[in-house]
């Protein structure tokens, strides 16, 4: 069970238990962390190879990048137990560089992307996470689950029929094993059992070795041979900026998801600059860069129960050991075993509660629409950044429309005075119709507009009030605006008459 220290102020807010030291002192917790790291490392290998192919680079780059980033983020990251490695999102963004400009420019892009992430972290970009609505977060999670599921389908087409019963057997183990014991992670049992079955019976099915050649040596320092001038910067900067943005968005969203699962708080700013440093280290050793991996993180946190940095660190270490020392063994692991594990991850990641008829009936239609927009955009483009950005924009538009309808104007007339009471939040979406709420011709000579029940948020509202006053003055009537709070009054004094549409 993960817990946060009872004292919620200061550094204790981020003290996540069990800590590394507590895990090291507990054989039970340490065993859980070690086995979780092993399972993640096994799952990382085919993924890293596949992402290398997407990026158009040697599989070694993806594998080395995953090793370096996992180890680095274990020390530098702000979210314990989160897995960072080479990812498809980053591969898609920077793939054009290696195709058009070659390997040196590719590595230079990764290095610059890491620098940009550090700069963005220092500028406080992590704080923008508070502006991502829950409906976008649910859409993000559901889209990731769908993408994880879809990514496994190529392993199920044009394959021997034995693959299907192997996947089914793997899923059976994954669902039943936790009911028998949670000491050994179910994914590890499934991988070992299916691999043993394939070897013993001599079945010829696709395996990890079919995905690409594993490296035979340690990564070496790589200095990109590119001219240090503005032309080079012009080539790599757009890709590096896109890489930094996509990497931070995916990493911070994944960190928030793990926070929700474990009921703990992570250091988002530390995670942001930690991702930057990890990418720089990855690029310095010829790696392809990456970010947080939702699938492997879910294997680590949900399927295996890991909670500390030990599992993240060991995932990187085991990955290197597996590909260098035990490459021959790793190559015979059937892809069916890893497909079964990823199917379980997909099922566990999806927020099934969000699509229950009862939930959809209670939820405002705008919230459901935002979730669907996020899911469709993410799955359609295979780009998490595009999906989340479109989801946030949709949420902003729908929120503005909803709030705009909460403004009311009530009118009361005496013999010589018309009293108007304006209630609600006034901003560009709600104040545009403000000028139509007044009876300019029929009102008496004196008009009082009471703003005590409202608040002015922007210049659009001041311009609207100016327009109302102007219309009355053109008819020889006097207007008095009352009840503005201090902030609204200051804004009104500063802008009134200076917006070009008033007097």
């Amino acid at each position: 069970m993960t817990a946060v220290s009872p004292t919620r102020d200061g550094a204790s807010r981020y003290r996540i238990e069990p800590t590394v030291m507590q895990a090291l002192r507990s054989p039970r917790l340490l065993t859980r962390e070690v086995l979780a790291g092993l399972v993640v490392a096994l799952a990382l290998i085919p993924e890293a190879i596949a992402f290398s192919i997407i990026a158009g680079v040697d599989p070694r780059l993806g594998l080395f990048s995953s090793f370096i980033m996992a180890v680095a983020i274990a020390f530098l990251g702000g979210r314990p137990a989160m897995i960072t490695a080479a990812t498809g999102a980053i591969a898609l963004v920077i793939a054009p560089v290696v195709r058009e400009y070659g390997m040196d420019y590719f590595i230079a892009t990764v290095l610059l992307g890491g620098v940009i992430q550090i700069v963005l972290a220092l500028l406080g970009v992590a704080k923008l996470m508070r502006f991502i609505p829950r409906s976008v977060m649910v859409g993000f999670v559901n889209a990731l689950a769908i993408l994880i599921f879809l990514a496994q389908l190529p392993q199920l087409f044009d394959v021997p029929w034995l693959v299907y019963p192997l996947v089914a057997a793997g899923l059976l183990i994954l669902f039943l094993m936790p009911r028998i014991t949670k000491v050994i992670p179910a994914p590890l049992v499934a991988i070992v059992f299916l691999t043993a079955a394939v070897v013993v019976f001599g079945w010829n099915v696709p395996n990890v070795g079919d995905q690409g050649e594993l490296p035979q040596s340690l990564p070496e320092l790589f200095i990109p041979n590119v001219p240090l001038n503005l032309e080079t910067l012009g080539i790599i900067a757009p890709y590096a900026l896109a890489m930094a943005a996509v990497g931070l968005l995916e990493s911070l969203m994944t960190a928030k998801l793990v926070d929700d699962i474990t009921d703990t708080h992570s250091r988002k700013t530390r995670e942001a600059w930690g991702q930057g440093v990890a990418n720089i280290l990855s690029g310095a050793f010829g790696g392809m860069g990456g970010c947080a991996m939702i699938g492997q993180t879910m294997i680590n946190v949900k399927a295996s129960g890991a909670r500390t940095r030990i599992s993240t660190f060991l995932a990187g270490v085991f990955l290197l050991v597996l590909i260098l020392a035990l490459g021959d063994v790793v190559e015979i692991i059937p892809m069916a075993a890893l497909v079964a594990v990823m199917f379980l991850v997909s099922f566990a990641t999806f927020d099934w509660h969000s699509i229950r008829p009862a939930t959809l009936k209670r939820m405002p239609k705008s919230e459901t629409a935002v979730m669907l927009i996020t899911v469709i955009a993410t799955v359609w483009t295979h780009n998490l950044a595009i999906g989340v950005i479109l989801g946030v924009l949709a949420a902003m538009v729908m929120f503005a429309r909803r709030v705009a309808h909460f403004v009311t104007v009530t009118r009361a007339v005496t013999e010589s005075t018309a009293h108007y009471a304006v209630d609600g939040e006034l901003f560009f979406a709600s104040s545009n119709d403000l000028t139509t709420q007044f009876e300019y011709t029929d009102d008496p000579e004196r008009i009082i507009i009471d703003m005590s029940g409202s608040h002015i948020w922007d210049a659009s509202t001041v311009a609207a009030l100016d327009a109302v006053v102007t219309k009355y003055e053109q008819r020889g009537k006097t207007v008095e605006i009352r009840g503005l709070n201090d902030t609204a009054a200051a804004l009104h004094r500063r802008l009134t008459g200076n917006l070009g549409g008033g007097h």
Side-chain angles (χ1 to χ4, degrees):
M1 189 78 179
T2 302
V4 179
S5 178
T7 307
R8 302 302 295 249
D9 55 330
S12 60
R13 172 184 171 86
Y14 301 100
R15 179 180 168 82
I16 297 173
E17 296 181 352
T19 63
V20 170
M21 292 308 298
Q22 288 171 341
L24 290 173
R25 294 192 191 104
S26 168
R28 181 180 62 84
L29 292 178
L30 185 59
T31 300
R32 185 178 70 185
E33 298 293 317
V34 171
L35 294 177
L38 179 58
V39 172
V40 170
L42 289 168
L44 275 174
I45 294 171
E47 296 263 314
I49 294 172
F51 298 148
S52 300
I53 294 168
I54 290 172
V57 298
D58 192 296
R60 289 178 300 174
L61 269 69
L63 291 165
F64 286 156
S65 185
S66 297
F67 155 66
I68 293 167
M69 295 195 74
V71 171
I73 213 69
F75 294 96
L76 303 172
R79 174 66 255 178
M82 192 166 78
I83 303 298
T84 291
T87 60
I90 299 298
L92 286 169
V93 168
I94 59 177
V97 180
V98 74
R99 284 200 305 267
E100 297 176 24
Y101 302 102
M103 194 63 211
D104 289 291
Y105 282 87
F106 180 84
I107 298 301
T109 303
V110 174
L111 293 169
L112 181 59
V115 172
I116 292 172
Q117 286 182 325
I118 294 173
V119 172
L120 290 175
L122 295 177
L123 291 175
V125 72
K127 294 176 183 176
L128 295 177
M129 286 299 297
R130 72 184 68 178
F131 296 110
I132 296 180
R134 182 187 176 278
S135 51
V136 175
M137 190 69 193
V138 172
F140 166 82
V141 169
N142 290 347
L144 282 172
I146 294 169
L147 287 176
I148 291 169
F149 177 82
L150 293 177
Q152 312 312 310
L153 296 184
Q155 302 294 337
L156 299 177
F157 294 117
D158 296 323
V159 293
W161 69 270
L162 276 169
V163 168
Y164 304 112
L166 283 173
V167 172
L171 288 171
L172 193 64
I173 293 169
L174 290 167
F175 279 107
L176 294 179
M177 188 67 190
R179 300 184 181 185
I180 300 170
T181 178
K182 292 185 179 181
V183 175
I184 303 173
L188 181 59
V189 176
I191 291 169
V192 171
F193 180 83
L194 295 185
T195 303
V198 167
V199 172
V200 169
F201 294 105
W203 292 330
N204 185 22
V205 293
N207 55 38
V208 172
D210 297 330
Q211 305 302 305
E213 186 181 351
L214 299 180
Q216 304 295 324
S217 61
L218 290 168
E220 297 176 353
L221 195 64
F222 185 98
I223 307 297
N225 183 23
V226 295
L228 298 177
N229 54 34
L230 290 177
E231 184 183 354
T232 300
L233 185 63
I235 291 171
I236 67 174
Y239 297 103
L241 185 60
M243 170 192 162
V246 170
L248 282 183
L249 185 60
E250 189 164 344
S251 298
L252 294 175
M253 292 286 279
T254 304
K256 190 174 187 301
L257 178 61
V258 178
D259 289 353
D260 293 342
I261 291 170
T262 59
D263 294 323
T264 57
H265 295 277
S266 59
R267 298 177 185 269
K268 303 296 191 303
T269 298
R270 176 175 170 177
E271 183 61 41
W273 65 253
Q275 290 287 331
V277 175
N279 270 308
I280 291 173
L281 290 172
S282 173
F285 285 92
M288 60 178 278
C291 61
M293 299 188 76
I294 182 70
Q296 276 64 25
T297 298
M298 290 299 99
I299 290 175
N300 200 41
V301 175
K302 265 197 167 182
S304 303
R307 291 293 183 269
T308 76
R309 299 175 187 274
I310 296 172
S311 59
T312 307
F313 172 75
L314 289 178
V317 172
F318 281 139
L319 176 63
L320 189 66
V321 171
L322 287 169
I323 60 180
L324 293 182
L326 300 173
D328 293 340
V329 176
V330 170
E331 286 179 343
I332 64 174
I333 294 175
M335 287 303 297
L338 298 173
V339 168
V341 171
M342 297 311 289
F343 275 163
L344 174 69
V345 169
S346 173
F347 180 84
T349 301
F350 197 91
D351 186 352
W352 296 100
H353 181 268
S354 67
I355 60 170
R356 288 178 184 170
T359 304
L360 294 174
K361 190 174 181 180
R362 286 195 300 267
M363 194 68 66
K365 288 183 174 59
S366 59
E367 298 279 321
T368 303
V370 168
M371 181 191 75
L372 289 174
I373 288 169
T374 306
V375 170
I376 293 169
T378 303
V379 173
W380 187 271
T381 63
H382 283 235
N383 190 317
L384 295 166
I386 291 175
V388 171
I389 289 169
L390 287 178
V392 171
L393 289 175
M396 289 168 60
V397 170
M398 291 181 185
F399 173 76
R401 285 188 62 206
R402 196 161 61 244
V403 173
H405 295 131
F406 291 156
V407 174
T408 59
V409 178
T410 54
R411 176 175 179 257
V413 182
T414 60
E415 289 186 7
S416 59
T417 307
H419 291 266
Y420 285 90
V422 181
D423 293 289
E425 303 300 315
L426 294 168
F427 63 111
F428 64 90
S430 60
S431 62
N432 282 338
D433 294 332
L434 192 64
T435 55
T436 66
Q437 306 295 312
F438 295 83
E439 304 291 341
Y440 301 103
T441 303
D442 297 336
D443 280 342
E445 299 299 312
R446 185 164 179 260
I447 294 92
I448 296 175
I449 303 175
D450 183 6
M451 305 288 292
S452 56
S454 62
H455 184 86
I456 296 175
W457 286 103
D458 61 6
S460 295
T461 305
V462 176
L465 285 173
D466 281 356
V468 170
V469 172
T470 299
K471 288 177 183 293
Y472 276 118
E473 289 179 345
Q474 288 172 344
R475 291 167 174 77
K477 302 176 182 181
T478 59
V479 179
E480 179 186 353
I481 297 176
R482 294 179 178 174
L484 289 173
N485 59 43
D486 292 342
T487 305
L491 180 66
H492 185 260
R493 281 195 304 271
R494 189 165 72 250
L495 297 180
T496 187
N498 297 311
L499 295 172
H503 301 287

